Amino acid sequence: MRLSQTAQDTLCANALRFLAIDAVEAAQSGHPGMPMGMAEIAVALWTRHLKHNPTDPTWPDRDRFILSNGHGSMLHYALLHLSGYDLPLDELKRFRQLHSKTPGHPEYGLTPGIETTTGPLGQGLANAVGMALAEKLLAAEFNRPGHRIVDHHTWVFLGDGCLMEGISHEAASFAGVQRLSKLVALWDDNRISIDGDVAGWFGDDTPARFRAYGWNVIEHVDGHDTDAVDHAIRDARRNARDDTGPTLICCRTTIGRGSPARAGTASVHGAPLGKDEIAATRAALGWDHPPFDIPEEIRNSFDARKTGAARQSAWQAQFDAYAREWPELAAEFTRRVTKRLPVGFRVLADAILRGVHNEAATLASRKASQHAIGRLARALPELLGGSADLTHSNLTDWPGCGAVRADQAGRHINWGVREFGMAAALNGIALHGGYLTFGATFLVFSDYARNAMRMSALMRQRVVYVMTHDSIGLGEDGPTHQPVEHLPSLRQIPNLDVWRPCDAVETQAAWNASVMRADGPSVIACSRQNLPHQARDAERLGDIARGGYVLAEADDGQPAMVLIATGSEVALAMEARARLQADGIATRVVSMPCTAAFDRQAASWRDAVLPPDVPRVAIEAAQPDSWWKYLAGAPRAAVIGIDRFGESAPAGELATLFGMTPERIVDTARRLR
Amino acid sequence: MRLSQTAQDTLCANALRFLAIDAVEAAQSGHPGMPMGMAEIAVALWTRHLKHNPTDPTWPDRDRFILSNGHGSMLHYALLHLSGYDLPLDELKRFRQLHSKTPGHPEYGLTPGIETTTGPLGQGLANAVGMALAEKLLAAEFNRPGHRIVDHHTWVFLGDGCLMEGISHEAASFAGVQRLSKLVALWDDNRISIDGDVAGWFGDDTPARFRAYGWNVIEHVDGHDTDAVDHAIRDARRNARDDTGPTLICCRTTIGRGSPARAGTASVHGAPLGKDEIAATRAALGWDHPPFDIPEEIRNSFDARKTGAARQSAWQAQFDAYAREWPELAAEFTRRVTKRLPVGFRVLADAILRGVHNEAATLASRKASQHAIGRLARALPELLGGSADLTHSNLTDWPGCGAVRADQAGRHINWGVREFGMAAALNGIALHGGYLTFGATFLVFSDYARNAMRMSALMRQRVVYVMTHDSIGLGEDGPTHQPVEHLPSLRQIPNLDVWRPCDAVETQAAWNASVMRADGPSVIACSRQNLPHQARDAERLGDIARGGYVLAEADDGQPAMVLIATGSEVALAMEARARLQADGIATRVVSMPCTAAFDRQAASWRDAVLPPDVPRVAIEAAQPDSWWKYLAGAPRAAVIGIDRFGESAPAGELATLFGMTPERIVDTARRLR
């Protein structure tokens, strides 16, 4: 007997439900409610629309699928497994267990087919915005008449939690003004969040809100009617073809649908159903298969390997034709989407660095950063940067960059005043491939973007954050704009390289290192004020990349004192060194632009730079506590830092007030002798 | 000759313009564009509506005025000065100078009449939401038939930047669902942000967006027509009376209005106009007064001292009548709005702490926190707490608390999934007075709220943050939900006390300390998992408040090893101590629940707790670097921490994987001998 399509769809949805129910039960931990509520929506998208090839999750022109409500991870794992990805049933049985491929929330790089790590609410939507932007720009750059080698959609599942988060506003507003028509979000409108019925705390007219952003909104879709969702998705694809802006599909659903006792309540959100309720749910849905036992005909309905391979083959044929007509473009496209730097880039980067050293310029490091961007942009057509409405303060644009607009594919993005949305979208751009991306704001406002920067680090994405106005040195704008704790606290994010260059040379070196770092994000913290050039020989020029090095040796080569400094304080340390040397205290200055890079060096390097038997003073215009790590082992040591909030005044007066002076360094060093 | 009202309004607006222009020019730094653009709006609100008394900025029933676009600070200073606040002209002349009362951005506590510190965009709106909520709840609690002792408005100026920020969504959505009808926002719709014409990056239909939140929206107001703004404000006040929700007034303006060359462009936003353009502006506006010279009749128009004193007197008469009819309520009201704790609270808090110690319970510290909240709530009717949609995970509610809803004045707030908005609104509640407030989320999501927590610290507000699920100990939810860097990086925010209690007793002590801390915010980081009770004598019970103390002395009183731990790691240290003692290594365990409190102790205390000549091991399931501060001076030392992201697995397996075990502590200690 052949089932009707509707009956078959119901079976498919129930298969997703029970894989989630049974995996959560096996783990005794997890979130069954969302998979049970979004099952039909998933069936509609994954069996009728999603363009992907489970046997090649790296196919550049695949659709991107993002689960912004990442706690529903079992839905995604069930879909990947049934569609034919390399995610065997055994992995589903080990949901949330140590070193399984099915962690509590979806993790990029761990599970084939997971496009981004989600869980922190709202960020998946912003990742998707970045992906859709990358797709649009890449299409504009590489497609040619008769050749649409870039042409895919970005699909997002999201819930009420994502929509309450502020980042949903930043992301959706930006997607609207940029008219990202191939972005389609499917909202799980179940009216339940963890605290219960959302009526008490979430009263938005969400469709009206999204229309206000310039989105198409498809309302009143029955999220448990696969055909209804299918029709809405068709309408969304038409919007994409007609380029009328992104689309939100509002799917009315019941959380935990199928559970007789818990459907429609918060109790089904984040806890196992338990044996009895699972039995009741099996009975209610007429599902008599044992846990993890999915009938063959259901597997066949999901299996996308054949159609996926055929679609990828067809694309490959298109691409081959493109490559014949546009061989250089095709080679460049392949390089770009595989995230490889141009051949010979390292040599070029070294040459650029030598050139900057020869210029010996005194510049604010934010200005030096702008110069570095301009130099790199000539060699890296993939450079795609911008600022959160501080372009002329952060200095992120460069000659000929061109602005990215709804109807214009440039290379510089005005993100608007949207730091968090920008950072999460940068993750999406980096994950998508095709661009090497950076974004900028004031260092103090890294706070606004912080969790997305953490996600860059967790996902090991090459994203560069230009964070200017890096200390009280910004002056009059006062304590709300003066970072104090930000440098050390960003350094504490694992896998994030934080650079604070002392001059134009170190700024270029920081940019070179950040661009060549394939496995993680970097912050480049830049000054508002001018920083004098520091002279170095060729060897020391190369040492910058080690993160900490001897910038100036004691005159006799036998230091009796080591001064460690970063950024604008290096010049102070150099001045203090001159006075100490004059006093007969042999003094070494160590510049430490990146503690993370320094930590990766061999112990022999670290001990050579910071000899264990010599007193040390660390100087940085920031919260001082973390520096004790680099003072441990010295016979005597001190930190000169700032452990209170700043003040509003001209920068020079603040330097005196906060003791960021050569005099204080000299006095401190003398006391330690 | 008497001027027409319209002519007089124009003069008043121009007075504000030139005070801003000339102060920025004198400082050679600042933002003239916004004051020039919002001058008429300010005249309408401040000379016709704002209820305040410049001679008593602490009058509890004054209107609250918030400049969310805080870079326009000179507008506010000009208004305060002209209205008669204690802000002499000399202070305006010292705009942005060291230790003036006119810093670059408005700072609470520094300048009379400044209700909150602004500058970080969007947060002023969220502060205002907190103030309006406090007003509404206080009115519900204290007003009585015939007595409206709490009855004031909250007014907010905001710009495009505030509206682009995600927090504006969280704040406005929450204000809508809570129907905060006395909140009125005036939008400076000048279509310019720092990067230029916003059309390229900000295309929202903002009126439609706010209607979607349930706000009243008054559109198409000419922001340079004082009467038009006045009429809109009257309409907004009617909405307040009719309780139809908050109101957004959309004022179409020209940034830098009056400057012939720069009006309507980004160039007037954040830089002095310069001598020539100032002369041209003076000519264009017909303003021939020298800098800082404001004619008497204009001063008289602004001077609110007489009317303000009369209004406050009338209120005082009302309050006196109230006090006669409801003497206990009146006394309680006065105590509450002056932010004093009940008489005898300290004695009570100590008794509670002893009681908790006697219970000797093994609990998760999040559960212990809930118990502490319940105990304190009985003594503190001002306790007003909530959670960002994690009430039953953070455990923030208590028996009889009641939910705060649009039509119900309870004491527990479901903030929705809005961590940043919550934190900034908590600042508003604390600033308003009348409530002692706390909010909660997972510790990892302190990232989302971080800059508002910084603002709590900068403004020295008593706000308590309950941050649960404080380490990899949360288990299966995985690295997106497991804090690693958060404890140390929150500790680096100046003036923020971070508590991480090791058992129910320290949890109560942390709560007591946080509630009694009148000059700053506190974080209480709590475990998901159970923590065993630690026994202490009465003296040690009192020592908890010192932030670091000897929990268990070496058996012979002569420690050969000191183990320092916090939170869940204290129990591990205690177990390690038992084994080390058995091995003949006399071991002291120091519990360090709050490093900031410990840092405030005398050196003698600190040295007594951490004797300089004894090796030390610090143990904390978090990024380890900052602990070196507490190891400096020891002959040998080590930190056991976690310097990479977590994993998804059951908590016990993670403890082994990440080496959070007594065995590792024992091994490390042995190696240091």
Side-chain angles (χ1 to χ4, degrees), chain A residues 536-559:
Chain A
R536 301 165 187 82
D537 61 23
E539 193 183 324
R540 281 175 188 173
L541 202 55
D543 290 344
I544 299 173
R546 293 177 181 265
Y549 65 102
V550 179
L551 175 65
E553 184 51 297
D555 279 351
D556 62 358
Q558 296 291 331

Side-chain angles (χ1 to χ4, degrees), chain A residues 459-470:
Chain A
M459 293 194 278
R460 300 193 161 273
Q461 290 304 293
R462 176 157 45 192
V463 173
V464 184
Y465 294 97
V466 178
M467 299 285 185
T468 71
H469 297 60
D470 69 351

Side-chain angles (χ1 to χ4, degrees), chain B residues 418-437:
Chain B
R418 302 182 180 103
E419 299 83 5
F420 193 13
M422 171 179 73
L426 295 180
N427 287 335
I429 293 171
L431 288 161
H432 182 279
Y435 293 98
L436 198 165
T437 193

Side-chain angles (χ1 to χ4, degrees), chain A residues 472 484 623-624 642-647 657-658, chain B residues 99 454 494-495:
Chain A
I472 54 161
V484 172
Q623 213 285 346
I642 297 177
D643 58 4
R644 62 181 180 101
F645 290 111
E647 306 243 9
L657 181 72
F658 287 94
Chain B
H99 298 152
R454 180 180 211 257
N495 198 36

Side-chain angles (χ1 to χ4, degrees), chain A residues 166 170 173 195 204 391 454, chain B residues 166 170 173 195 204 391 454 485:
Chain A
E170 299 182 12
S173 172
D195 277 2
D204 292 3
T391 298
R454 180 179 211 255
Chain B
E170 300 182 12
S173 173
D195 277 5
D204 293 2
T391 298
R454 180 180 211 257
E485 70 278 23

Side-chain angles (χ1 to χ4, degrees), chain A residues 369 373 383-387 395-398 411-413 415 422 426 436-440 462-466 511:
Chain A
S369 166
I373 292 166
L383 206 64
L384 177 68
S387 166
L395 302 176
T396 52
D397 54 350
W398 66 94
R411 291 168 69 190
H412 186 272
I413 305 172
W415 286 102
M422 171 179 74
L426 295 178
L436 197 166
T437 193
F438 70 90
R462 176 157 45 192
V463 173
V464 184
Y465 294 97
V466 178
W511 261 106

Side-chain angles (χ1 to χ4, degrees), chain A residues 96 104-105 163 165-166 169-170 173 195 201 204-205 212 389 391 414 418-419 454 477 485 492 626 648, chain B residues 96 104-105 163 165-166 169-170 173 193 195 201 204-205 212 391 414 418-419 454 477 485 492 626 648:
Chain A
R96 295 182 155 234
H105 292 81
L163 291 176
E165 289 286 4
H169 166 60
E170 299 182 12
S173 172
D195 277 2
W201 47 89
D204 292 3
D205 177 347
D389 202 47
T391 298
N414 300 95
R418 302 182 181 102
E419 299 82 7
R454 180 179 211 255
D477 271 343
E485 69 279 22
Q492 285 169 330
S626 298
S648 169
Chain B
R96 294 182 157 237
H105 292 81
L163 291 176
E165 289 286 4
H169 167 59
E170 300 182 12
S173 173
S193 67
D195 277 5
W201 47 88
D204 293 2
D205 178 347
T391 298
N414 302 95
R418 302 182 180 103
E419 299 83 5
R454 180 180 211 257
D477 272 343
E485 70 278 23
Q492 285 168 329
S626 298
S648 169

Side-chain angles (χ1 to χ4, degrees), chain A residues 157 181 188 192 215 271 298 320 346 439 526 535 542 636 644 663:
Chain A
F157 280 10
S181 301
D188 182 25
I192 294 292
W215 285 52
I298 295 178
D320 293 344
R346 182 173 294 271
C526 296
R636 289 173 302 284
R644 62 181 180 101
E663 293 72 26

